[in-house]
Structures are given as C-alpha cells and as structure tokens.
Amino acid sequence: MSGVKLTKHVNEAIKLFEFVRKELDPWVGVQTGFAFLLIVKHTHVNEEEMRVMDIGAMMATSSASASRNMHWLVKHQLVELYENPDRRIEKFVRLSKRGKDLVKRLEAL
C-alpha cells in the first residue's frame, strides 16, 4: 500500500473515531467502536442477522469481552439485543433507532 493510500485510510479512520468520540463519549474504546462498525456492516449494510458471539469471533476476543462491548453499546442506546427464539441463551444484535440515526450522520461525513 502506498503512503498516499495509507494516509487516506488513516485519515478516514481518525475522522470516524473523532465523530464517535464527539457524539457519544470521548472515552469510548477502539474495541467498542470496532464492534459497532462490525454491527453496522453486517446488520445495516449487508442486512444479516448477527449474534453477540459472532462479533466476539470476528474481533478474535472472548465472549466476555464481546458482552462488555455490547453492554456499552446498549447503555448508549446504539444497539438492541434480542433472544434467539430457538436458543434462548444466544443474543442477536441490531441497530436501535439512535444507532440508525448515527449511521445516517456517518454516511454524510
């Protein structure tokens, strides 16, 4: 990757995290931001169902860590969790109204 391409990607990532820190919480962790972006990509863009355990696997982290990230996102009303009707211990995740509103504003960046 050339320096120009790398600079572009780094600048886009910085812009994205500056937006999230400004709009939500200046102390939001990178891992939590990454979890949110995975949810956006898979549930909003690709219209897939996604479980909390899927997020943990994609992030190569423990289920406990994935749960902590989900707790933060739920607390800030960006996502909602709901039970898998066939397997109650599994939780699916989807964007909340506030999460969808944030995505619309992100698309305008």
Side-chain angles (χ1 to χ4, degrees), residues 14-60:
I14 289 170
K15 187 177 181 180
L16 179 64
F17 275 101
E18 285 174 342
F19 175 83
V20 170
R21 290 181 69 224
K22 178 183 172 212
E23 295 297 319
L24 298 178
D25 185 340
W27 297 104
V28 64
V30 171
Q31 191 177 58
T32 304
F34 181 42
F36 180 70
L37 294 175
L38 284 173
I39 294 165
V40 170
K41 177 184 177 189
H42 290 277
T43 67
H44 181 72
V45 176
N46 296 347
E47 298 180 354
E48 301 168 350
E49 285 193 323
M50 185 173 221
R51 300 170 299 175
V52 172
M53 65 187 288
D54 298 328
I55 296 164
M58 288 177 187
M59 294 174 61

Side-chain angles (χ1 to χ4, degrees), residues 32 35-44 47-56 58-59 66-67 69-74 77-85 90-96 99-100:
T32 304
F36 180 70
L37 294 175
L38 284 173
I39 294 165
V40 170
K41 177 184 177 189
H42 290 277
T43 67
H44 181 72
E47 298 180 354
E48 301 168 350
E49 285 193 323
M50 185 173 221
R51 300 170 299 175
V52 172
M53 65 187 288
D54 298 328
I55 296 164
M58 288 177 187
M59 294 174 61
S67 293
N69 288 308
M70 292 308 102
H71 176 76
W72 191 97
L73 295 169
V74 168
Q77 301 174 347
L78 296 173
V79 301
E80 301 168 344
L81 301 179
Y82 60 101
E83 287 181 355
N84 178 348
E90 285 183 340
K91 302 289 187 227
F92 283 100
V93 62
R94 64 179 164 226
L95 291 174
S96 65
K100 289 176 185 176

